[in-house]
């Protein structure tokens, strides 16, 4: 008889993500959800319009632990880790771009049939696109054309 994991997920990841999103509300967005069946660990990465602090992740952990949502899904128990996106995590939602106006981004995007890579300063956003400043020119890129965008870390 091999070692059977005690951590069993009773449902699909989209379902648990929806349950978690419902518990934590509209101020935060579940960016990533992972489970480790060998250590009974559920890892949740959240982001929001405001900066995510240790206090924020602690608050979200408490909300989830006080709700029955995870107990229903994980009747054999679980360990919970809530964190914010790390350095180098891609920007996905417009609110993430908004928080990074004025910073330099590395962006891969579709330009017709071509894929271009660009390091440029994010100067504005709206509901449909971002505007970057690069070599005295402004480049507008629709969100739908962005393949990957990450904030470049500067130590100036």
């Amino acid at each position: 008889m091999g070692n059977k994991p005690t951590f069993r997920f009773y449902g699909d990841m989209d379902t648990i993500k929806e349950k978690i999103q419902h518990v934590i509300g509209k101020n935060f967005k579940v960016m990533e959800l992972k489970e480790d069946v060998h250590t009974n660990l559920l890892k949740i990465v959240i982001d929001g319009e405001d900066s995510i602090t240790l206090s924020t992740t602690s608050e979200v952990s408490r909300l989830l632990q006080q709700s029955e949502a995870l107990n229903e899904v994980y009747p054999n128990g679980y360990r919970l880790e809530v964190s914010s996106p790390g350095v180098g995590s891609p920007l996905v939602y417009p609110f993430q771009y908004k928080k990074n106006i004025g910073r330099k981004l590395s962006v891969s995007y579709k330009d017709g049939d071509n894929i271009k890579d660009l390091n440029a300063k994010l100067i504005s956003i709206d509901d449909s696109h971002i505007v970057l400043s690069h070599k005295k020119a402004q480049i507008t890129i629709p969100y739908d054309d962005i393949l990957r965008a990450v904030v470049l870390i500067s130590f100036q």
Side-chain angles (χ1 to χ4, degrees):
M1 318 255 169
N3 290 339
K4 285 173 107 180
T6 57
F7 189 59
R8 303 295 302 192
F9 179 66
Y10 296 93
D12 64 77
M13 291 305 270
D14 288 337
T15 301
I16 186 61
K17 193 173 183 178
E18 288 173 16
K19 286 180 182 246
I20 291 168
Q21 189 64 61
H22 179 75
V23 170
I24 66 175
K26 295 178 183 177
N27 290 337
F28 307 110
K29 180 77 174 163
V30 177
M31 302 299 294
E32 190 176 334
L33 182 63
K34 291 182 182 179
E35 66 175 343
D36 184 333
V37 297
H38 302 292
T39 62
N40 295 351
L41 180 63
L42 180 63
K43 290 183 173 186
I44 303 167
V45 177
I46 61 167
D47 204 353
E49 290 186 22
D50 296 324
S51 295
I52 302 296
T53 64
L54 182 57
S55 175
T56 307
T57 58
S58 296
E59 173 190 336
V60 169
S61 292
R62 275 192 301 278
L63 283 171
L64 289 168
Q65 290 168 346
Q66 291 169 356
S67 80
E68 291 297 315
L70 293 178
N71 293 336
E72 293 170 1
V73 178
Y74 299 105
N76 296 328
Y78 62 92
R79 292 181 320 126
L80 182 63
E81 178 182 302
V82 178
S83 63
S84 61
V87 172
S89 293
L91 303 177
V92 179
Y93 297 100
F95 73 82
Q96 292 178 296
Y97 288 91
K98 184 178 181 182
K99 289 194 310 187
N100 288 290
I101 290 174
R103 291 191 171 150
K104 196 168 188 179
L105 303 182
S106 173
V107 181
S108 291
Y109 64 99
K110 294 181 291 185
D111 184 14
D113 291 335
N114 299 318
I115 294 176
K116 294 187 175 181
D117 295 310
L118 179 68
N119 290 346
K121 185 176 181 179
L122 178 62
I123 56 174
S124 69
I125 71 152
D126 70 13
D127 291 339
S128 62
H129 63 271
I130 65 172
V131 179
L132 300 168
S133 175
H134 180 70
K135 296 182 181 178
K136 298 184 182 179
Q138 289 189 0
I139 300 163
T140 300
I141 305 171
Y143 290 117
D144 291 343
D145 290 346
I146 298 172
L147 302 172
R148 180 174 169 85
V150 295
V151 176
L152 294 174
I153 303 304
S154 174
F155 297 100
Q156 296 176 352

